[in-house]
Amino acid sequence: DNGMDVQQSGDWDDWRQGECLLPALVGKFYDQQSYTDVSFQLADGSSVQAHKLMLAITSPVFEGMFFGPLADRNLREVRVEDVKPTGFKRLIHFIYNSRCLSWKIEDPEEWWHILEAANKYMNTRLVEQVERRLREIAKRDSGKGVILRHLTMANRCGFDTGVKTVFMNSVIKNTSKLITTDQWSQLDEVAIMRIYDQEFLAATEGELYMGAKQWCLRNTSTEADALKMFLDKFVHRIIPEYMSQRDFLCCVANDAFLAQVDVFRDWTIKIMVRNAADNTIRGSYRPMRILQFYFNA
């Protein structure tokens, strides 16, 4: 603005050198816990020490907490109970190091705890980087059971994020594979209900029946309770008109799970009348829906 050419004056190189050194210097103070002026007490009993000014620079929530009009300037200790400790610690680490894509995180839940903390404290840079990493995971692990664990966490988080749809789309396109994984029966009720409410799933109605029966048996103590749960939650979500006769014989009629209820008779009639083709996946009878789904994806 004052007309000085910083590149020709040499000040530009000095400034660039300082910009590179600053994160390392600040990170050193954090690693050594030097000159910290606030302590966060986390729900698991652990604590994190940090610098108010550094936190305020990166988060309007921290800025208001420490330097806002109603802030207590003598505040030295803060209890954090509304986000998971692992997520909060990663948030603080990111503030001092500005990197998350190099983190080696094996537990899917931890990524969502980090995203929760980043949203809570409005650190948009961390939100963007975590969402980018989750999209990479959804693409890399497509068809694997870990996708179902991510979907469960996505449904549990109480904030809006477009990455939720990424994992649901992955499940929609790989349903048949995912039903056979151990993680299928570990889905929570909200997640599995949302899956079965989808108009397009890459699985036959027979496979969807088996997946629902398997989930009910895993989440109840007796077969009678599993049947009651199936009739209550899943029977109206299975579309027998689009179940092939082969699927009906192989998946439904080969055991006694539904044999004692009227549903078995009703399904038999509908399946014999409709006579759907083998390997008919849900949505194939709505071709425009399939086209729209892939176009949007």
Side-chain angles (χ1 to χ4, degrees), residues 172 175-177 179 201-208 280-283:
I172 288 172
T175 318
S176 181
K177 295 178 183 177
I179 285 174
L201 293 170
T204 67
E205 294 303 313
E207 290 172 325
L208 292 172
T280 300
I281 62 174
R282 179 177 295 187

Side-chain angles (χ1 to χ4, degrees), residues 233-244:
K233 299 184 182 300
F234 290 98
V235 73
H236 60 284
R237 289 181 163 93
I238 304 294
I239 307 174
E241 292 90 340
Y242 297 100
M243 186 185 300
S244 69

Side-chain angles (χ1 to χ4, degrees), residues 86 90 104-114 134 137 146 149-150 153:
T86 54
R90 293 284 189 180
K104 304 299 182 183
I105 298 176
E106 299 297 332
D107 185 0
E109 295 186 4
E110 188 170 348
W111 282 113
W112 294 92
H113 294 159
I114 298 168
L134 286 170
I137 290 171
V146 68
R149 294 181 62 189
H150 280 288
M153 291 303 301

Side-chain angles (χ1 to χ4, degrees), residues 278-296:
D278 291 341
N279 303 315
T280 300
I281 62 174
R282 179 177 295 187
S284 59
Y285 44 88
R286 294 191 181 102
M288 291 306 297
R289 293 283 187 180
I290 297 178
L291 182 63
Q292 182 183 27
F293 171 78
Y294 277 107
F295 179 78
N296 290 337

Side-chain angles (χ1 to χ4, degrees), residues 67-83:
F67 304 110
L70 302 179
D72 177 3
R73 299 306 171 91
N74 297 317
L75 182 65
R76 297 280 302 179
E77 185 172 300
V78 179
R79 294 195 63 82
V80 179
E81 297 178 340
D82 52 353
V83 295

Side-chain angles (χ1 to χ4, degrees), residues 47-154:
S47 63
V48 176
Q49 283 70 43
H51 307 83
K52 292 180 181 179
L53 181 59
M54 189 65 184
L55 302 187
I57 291 172
T58 61
S59 162
V61 177
F62 283 129
E63 181 182 11
M65 182 187 299
F66 300 132
F67 304 110
L70 302 179
D72 177 3
R73 299 306 171 91
N74 297 317
L75 182 65
R76 297 280 302 179
E77 185 172 300
V78 179
R79 294 195 63 82
V80 179
E81 297 178 340
D82 52 353
V83 295
K84 297 293 184 182
T86 54
F88 188 83
K89 289 176 182 178
R90 293 284 189 180
L91 167 66
I92 300 300
H93 181 265
F94 177 80
I95 287 172
Y96 284 92
N97 295 275
S98 299
R99 295 178 64 189
C100 86
L101 299 184
S102 60
W103 289 341
K104 304 299 182 183
I105 298 176
E106 299 297 332
D107 185 0
E109 295 186 4
E110 188 170 348
W111 282 113
W112 294 92
H113 294 159
I114 298 168
L115 188 58
E116 178 185 39
N119 272 278
K120 164 75 177 177
Y121 291 95
M122 299 176 66
N123 190 307
T124 55
R125 290 186 63 241
L126 182 55
V127 169
E128 291 170 358
Q129 291 202 33
V130 172
E131 287 188 345
R132 189 192 321 162
R133 186 62 182 271
L134 286 170
R135 290 175 189 276
E136 292 173 356
I137 290 171
K139 183 177 181 180
R140 182 194 68 198
D141 294 332
S142 179
K144 298 179 182 178
V146 68
I147 295 295
L148 297 174
R149 294 181 62 189
H150 280 288
L151 180 66
T152 293
M153 291 303 301

